[in-house]
Amino acid sequence: MISRFSNVNRAYVNTVGISSVFNIGDSMQITPSIKVLAIQREQEIYYDEEGKFSQFPIFEEEIPQPVFYEQLTTNFFNKNPKINVDSISVTSISSSAILQIGSTKDIVCESRTKHIRQSKN
């Protein structure tokens, strides 16, 4: 992993929510993960047996991972191994997202959302 020095003068992030990461600097591994089930109705009604992730295949399916067939060799030379950021402004980071100023060896993010809207017909 490339190791660098991160220098940030100003950072404004209004909201960091739901399994998200705001990171200044290097890290070895970041793995934010979230499962969301949102049921929207015209009236606020909750049924005892609803809301189980196992009822919906989207939450149980295996996520396919890329298969790399080729050997990859890299060489890096950082004449000036610094990351300089004067100012950054972000409205929102959400649902298993990452805002990073730096390096990370491994990142694995997962976000699964099932949104159901029920209305009277």
Side-chain angles (χ1 to χ4, degrees):
M1 179 179 82
I2 302 171
S3 181
R4 294 182 274 205
F5 175 77
S6 299
N7 180 32
V8 180
N9 290 333
R10 283 181 308 252
Y12 172 80
V13 180
N14 188 50
T15 304
V16 177
I18 311 179
S19 186
S20 294
V21 176
F22 172 43
N23 185 47
I24 298 175
D26 296 340
S27 59
M28 289 300 294
Q29 184 175 19
I30 302 176
T31 56
S33 177
I34 184 170
K35 293 181 179 181
V36 176
L37 177 60
I39 301 174
Q40 184 177 11
R41 297 188 174 101
E42 289 181 15
Q43 294 181 333
E44 295 180 20
I45 300 171
Y46 175 74
Y47 302 105
D48 290 339
E49 292 301 314
E50 72 180 354
K52 295 180 181 174
F53 291 125
S54 60
Q55 294 174 327
F56 302 97
I58 189 173
F59 297 112
E60 302 297 322
E61 293 174 3
E62 185 174 332
I63 296 176
Q65 299 298 314
V67 178
F68 300 102
Y69 299 103
E70 299 175 7
Q71 179 78 16
L72 181 64
T73 303
T74 58
N75 292 309
F76 296 95
F77 173 73
N78 292 309
K79 183 177 179 181
N80 186 0
K82 294 180 183 177
I83 299 171
N84 290 307
V85 177
D86 180 46
S87 178
I88 187 167
S89 179
V90 177
T91 302
S92 181
I93 307 165
S94 185
S95 300
S96 187
I98 298 170
L99 168 61
Q100 181 179 22
I101 301 167
S103 299
T104 298
K105 184 175 183 278
D106 294 311
I107 297 175
V108 178
C109 301
E110 179 179 338
S111 177
R112 297 181 187 214
T113 303
K114 177 71 174 178
H115 196 151
I116 301 169
R117 292 188 176 130
Q118 297 177 344
S119 60
K120 294 180 184 178
N121 290 335

